[in-house]
Amino acid sequence: MTSPPRRPPIKQQFANKYQSASVGDQQDYEDLQYLATKREIRVTIRTSTKAGVAAGLSVMAGTLVAGPVGAVAGGAVGTALAASISRNVVPLNKLLDQTPPSERKEVLRLFNEAFKDEFVETIQDSPELKLLLSGHSPLGVVRYMVERDLIKSDKLDKLDKILKKVV
């Protein structure tokens, strides 16, 4: 009987996924992905340039084909097309997963700053969280708070806004 194929050690799996990230950054990024998944955050990606070009081309095509009436029809079609192009709503965890490893450190920096500003008071009021912060980043502490339902609903709303806003 043959034994099942061996999987590479977990350490090696993460090394392949996050080649340029440190161990702390890897953990922070996993914490961020966890928060995005747990809170089911969806973000809007705006592509306004493409939308504007599509609207302009629609109006121009309508004008060339049918004159002023075509311009109105092209404007209506172009507006609808621009609206659909300019607002793509995607889950934040999908967006984070697609972020190139070279840009992840900057993403982490932005989220850590935002979380630190928002949750510093909550963390400083709790000896348990203060001790946890000494060994982790603000992202790790916020994940801990979410996992254990230590965040009140108003703070959860702020967490959701931060997750949506920073992206």
Side-chain angles (χ1 to χ4, degrees), residues 92-156:
L92 177 58
N93 60 343
K94 181 180 177 184
L95 187 64
L96 290 171
D97 203 34
Q98 294 173 349
T99 302
S102 61
E103 295 176 18
R104 290 180 179 185
K105 196 168 194 115
E106 180 63 16
V107 170
L108 287 174
R109 187 188 66 74
L110 292 171
F111 276 106
N112 271 321
E113 283 179 17
F115 284 168
K116 188 176 181 182
D117 292 344
E118 185 58 44
F119 293 102
V120 70
E121 209 173 282
T122 304
I123 293 169
Q124 294 301 327
D125 290 344
S126 166
E128 175 186 11
L129 297 177
K130 198 186 297 186
L131 182 62
L132 191 61
L133 182 61
S134 67
H136 291 79
S137 71
L139 272 169
V141 176
V142 172
R143 176 180 178 161
Y144 179 86
M145 293 179 352
V146 168
E147 285 177 335
R148 287 158 183 79
D149 294 324
L150 298 175
I151 300 180
K152 295 181 173 90
S153 63
D154 61 323
K155 287 286 188 180
L156 283 174

Side-chain angles (χ1 to χ4, degrees), residues 32 35-37 39-47 85-99 111 159-167:
L32 183 56
L35 291 170
T37 302
R39 299 298 303 153
E40 298 176 357
I41 302 298
R42 297 178 64 78
V43 294
T44 303
I45 301 172
R46 299 181 189 274
T47 52
I85 289 173
S86 68
R87 303 192 118 225
N88 296 323
V89 179
V90 297
L92 177 58
N93 60 343
K94 181 180 177 184
L95 187 64
L96 290 171
D97 203 34
Q98 294 173 349
T99 302
F111 276 106
L159 170 65
D160 293 349
K161 286 179 185 174
I162 290 169
L163 288 171
K164 289 178 183 176
K165 183 179 178 183
V166 172
V167 176

Side-chain angles (χ1 to χ4, degrees), residues 8-108:
I10 297 291
K11 201 176 203 179
Q12 185 179 356
Q13 289 175 16
F14 285 125
N16 293 340
K17 189 171 183 181
Y18 304 105
Q19 290 176 357
S20 63
S22 71
V23 174
D25 288 346
Q26 291 172 14
Q27 182 60 51
D28 284 351
Y29 210 77
E30 288 171 19
D31 291 342
L32 183 56
Q33 288 177 314
Y34 170 84
L35 291 170
T37 302
K38 176 83 172 172
R39 299 298 303 153
E40 298 176 357
I41 302 298
R42 297 178 64 78
V43 294
T44 303
I45 301 172
R46 299 181 189 274
T47 52
S48 56
T49 305
K50 289 180 190 175
V53 170
L57 289 175
S58 297
V59 171
M60 186 177 74
T63 304
L64 290 174
V65 171
V69 175
V72 172
V77 169
T79 300
L81 183 62
S84 69
I85 289 173
S86 68
R87 303 192 118 225
N88 296 323
V89 179
V90 297
L92 177 58
N93 60 343
K94 181 180 177 184
L95 187 64
L96 290 171
D97 203 34
Q98 294 173 349
T99 302
S102 61
E103 295 176 18
R104 290 180 179 185
K105 196 168 194 115
E106 180 63 16
V107 170
L108 287 174

